[in-house]
Amino acid sequence: EEKMEDDQVAEEVGEVTETVRTTPKRVCFLKQHNLNLPSTSYLSPGAINSNRLAILSSSADRSLAIAFASGSQIFFSNVEDKFQEQGEIQGESVTVPQGTTDGNVKRQLPHQELSCRVVIGGTTPSLRPQDEIQSLLLVSKPDDPHQILASSDAVGKISLHTIDPSGGAPSLTSSASPSYPYCEVGWSGLSFDPIHNQVATAHHHSKVISTYDANTLQPVRSLRTVAPVTSVGYSKLVSAEASPLLITTEFNQLAVWDMRVSNPTVYRQTHGTAWLYDHSAIESKDLIAVGGQQRVVTMIEARKWQPLTRWTNALKYEIRGIDFSHKNSDLCFVFAMDSEISCGYWAIDSPNSSDTFRGQSRWLGYAQDKTSDRLVTLNNHKQIYVFNNATDIFGNYEELSRKYLSRSEASKLKRHNSAPADRQSKTPRKRARPDGPQETDEPSS
């Protein structure tokens, strides 16, 4: 009976999705910008799970200031994100002048050239990182009006640069080399803990997690991991009270650390048999999502440390990045190893619960604007994609979520009401004695 109800939910999900696909009501608008690099003619490839794009600021006129890395250099650029007002909804159809359609995403043409300037690693060799930059992170401290751009290169060296509000070149605040011996170059990641004012870094091949003071980059603690690390990030979960937990993925394991205690391992569990490349957390719901080579997004409930649901076949190729929408945490952006992005309702494991968009080449970085529903991505062809109303890549999520939740709640209520009746309808079993009266399993009065 439960299987029949689940099949009925899947059929209704498919019917709703097909209806909206024929008459879309919500549309994501896309602008594509070509980068005009001053010195190099290409972008360095980086590791498969590196993220070398950061949004520095966004203004009221919808312009964005972004930073991205290539090789050992960091570039700044300003993106004018002014979409055409003629692309508004008219009845049941959407009209976009000079636009082309790709699923639920409307491209607005023509493309624009973005001028870029080298701010770190250009003519000043002392500011140049040692190797190729793998991660960029914008650090905003609560008591400091200045923004700090943190970077980590392929050997794990960290550099902190204070951003000049007037638009000048960032100044080097501090840098720290890894405490472990030199090893093979590879991926390294960063994360910032605003409560304890610490920066955590992890290096893939050395299997080391290190924490530093965010002001001076003095080492605080260093830990050895079981397997090579592929992602690192702080998350302030509800079940963790007031202290953020450090979350890492190591090969096919998810590990959670509390760096304040002597035995820091809070949770470690294997999820699948292949590499996990990224994780993301919904702090308000105590949920952690992981994904990787198996193309499956697994949601883990932090209160019980048990898998809650699985979104299978989220992409055609391996998952390199996961990020929940800032507008609606029920939606999840999943980035592939190639040029595909999938936006889906993670609570429903159905082919009709997501929509995808495909760019022109492999993704090198992605970032969400925290003040609006905008997603910015960088690809290997020196192109910047700006998605306005990014959650509308899957334009049917509101109606689909209402349909699914109402149906699932009705199914749960039906099973709850029928369970006591089934138990009451059972008659006590009788057993006979060879030399006495029959007795039941019920206790005597």
Side-chain angles (χ1 to χ4, degrees):
E1 184 180 353
E2 294 179 4
K3 186 177 185 304
M4 293 176 60
E5 293 175 353
D6 295 339
D7 293 341
Q8 186 175 357
V9 171
E11 291 178 0
E12 292 178 354
V13 168
E15 294 175 358
V16 173
T17 308
E18 290 299 329
T19 303
V20 176
R21 280 178 177 172
T22 55
T23 58
K25 296 182 180 181
R26 304 181 65 90
V27 174
C28 172
F29 294 101
L30 166 68
K31 268 196 173 182
Q32 178 180 329
H33 305 275
N34 299 325
L35 297 173
N36 184 14
L37 300 182
S39 58
T40 59
S41 59
Y42 64 94
L43 294 176
S44 60
I48 57 176
N49 54 335
S50 62
N51 190 4
R52 295 173 291 164
L53 177 67
I55 297 178
L56 303 179
S57 62
S58 59
S59 58
D61 60 351
R62 302 190 65 79
S63 63
L64 296 172
I66 63 172
F68 62 94
S70 175
S72 57
Q73 297 177 335
I74 298 179
F75 301 84
F76 279 8
S77 181
N78 293 321
V79 181
E80 296 294 333
D81 186 21
K82 295 181 180 179
F83 289 82
Q84 300 176 7
E85 298 296 335
Q86 294 88 343
E88 296 179 350
I89 299 175
Q90 300 176 358
E92 296 296 330
S93 62
V94 176
T95 303
V96 181
Q98 299 180 349
T100 58
T101 308
D102 187 350
N104 207 48
V105 178
K106 304 290 182 178
R107 299 172 183 258
Q108 291 203 346
L109 304 177
H111 302 330
Q112 297 181 359
E113 292 284 340
L114 292 181
S115 60
C116 309
R117 58 191 179 95
V118 182
V119 294
I120 298 173
T123 59
T124 310
S126 61
L127 298 183
R128 184 187 295 271
Q130 185 172 354
D131 286 278
E132 182 187 24
I133 296 176
Q134 298 294 322
S135 300
L136 285 182
L137 177 67
L138 184 65
V139 177
S140 299
K141 301 178 182 179
D143 54 347
D144 190 354
H146 297 89
Q147 290 183 324
I148 296 177
L149 184 64
S151 65
S152 63
D153 60 16
V155 297
K157 181 181 179 180
I158 308 176
S159 300
L160 300 182
H161 298 83
T162 302
I163 299 176
D164 187 0
S166 62
S171 59
L172 180 63
T173 304
S174 56
S175 63
S177 298
S179 57
Y180 46 85
Y182 182 82
C183 64
E184 183 180 356
V185 295
W187 174 87
S188 64
L190 285 170
S191 185
F192 175 64
D193 178 9
I195 295 180
H196 300 98
N197 196 28
Q198 292 182 359
V199 176
T201 181
H203 191 258
H204 177 80
H205 291 293
S206 64
K207 298 187 290 187
V208 172
I209 303 173
S210 302
T211 56
Y212 301 87
D213 183 82
N215 295 326
T216 62
L217 285 187
Q218 292 296 320
V220 177
R221 190 171 187 178
S222 182
L223 297 173
R224 286 280 182 177
T225 62
V226 175
V229 188
T230 54
S231 69
V232 60
Y234 279 106
S235 293
K236 187 178 180 301
L237 302 174
V238 176
S239 57
E241 298 176 352
S243 178
L245 298 177
L246 188 63
I247 304 174
T248 61
T249 53
E250 308 165 16
F251 181 42
N252 62 343
Q253 299 180 4
L254 174 68
V256 182
W257 312 81
D258 188 353
M259 305 299 286
R260 302 172 301 169
V261 298
S262 58
N263 185 15
T265 304
V266 176
Y267 169 79
R268 179 179 293 275
Q269 184 63 44
T270 299
H271 296 280
T273 58
W275 283 92
L276 299 175
Y277 289 129
D278 198 15
H279 77 276
S280 185
I282 309 177
E283 297 179 350
S284 60
K285 297 182 179 180
D286 268 0
L287 294 177
I288 304 173
V290 294
Q293 275 188 344
Q294 292 185 317
R295 303 180 296 117
V296 177
V297 178
T298 304
M299 302 293 300
I300 297 132
E301 188 178 6
R303 291 186 178 92
K304 301 179 181 179
W305 297 116
Q306 295 292 332
L308 180 64
T309 183
R310 289 162 57 90
W311 177 12
T312 60
N313 299 320
L315 294 168
K316 182 178 180 180
Y317 297 104
E318 294 93 334
I319 296 174
R320 72 173 301 272
I322 302 174
D323 200 5
F324 289 100
S325 170
H326 295 162
K327 179 182 178 181
N328 186 352
S329 60
D330 290 335
L331 292 178
C332 181
F333 297 108
V334 185
F335 302 86
M337 289 291 183
D338 59 348
S339 59
E340 187 180 8
I341 299 176
S342 179
C343 179
Y345 189 71
W346 53 264
I348 306 176
D349 186 11
S350 170
N352 299 318
S353 62
S354 64
D355 276 324
T356 61
F357 169 82
R358 186 173 293 276
Q360 295 186 7
S361 63
R362 185 174 73 93
W363 302 121
L364 298 180
Y366 56 89
Q368 280 195 76
D369 184 13
K370 297 182 180 180
T371 60
S372 62
D373 186 22
R374 284 184 293 182
L375 176 68
V376 183
T377 60
L378 170 68
N379 67 8
N380 200 32
H381 280 180
K382 300 184 295 183
Q383 294 172 340
I384 293 288
Y385 288 69
V386 181
F387 296 87
N388 192 33
N389 300 326
T391 52
D392 292 334
I393 294 177
F394 181 40
N396 184 33
Y397 69 90
E398 291 184 348
E399 185 174 356
L400 179 62
S401 62
R402 288 195 299 267
K403 193 79 173 178
Y404 172 76
L405 291 176
S406 61
R407 182 62 185 171
S408 61
E409 290 297 330
S411 177
K412 291 179 182 179
L413 182 62
K414 181 179 178 181
R415 289 195 293 266
H416 176 72
N417 294 335
S418 61
D422 294 342
R423 287 195 295 267
Q424 292 177 3
S425 62
K426 294 181 180 179
T427 57
R429 294 178 300 170
K430 296 181 179 181
R431 61 174 181 267
R433 289 185 177 181
D435 55 352
Q438 293 184 348
E439 294 184 357
T440 67
D441 289 337
E442 292 181 342
S444 58
S445 58

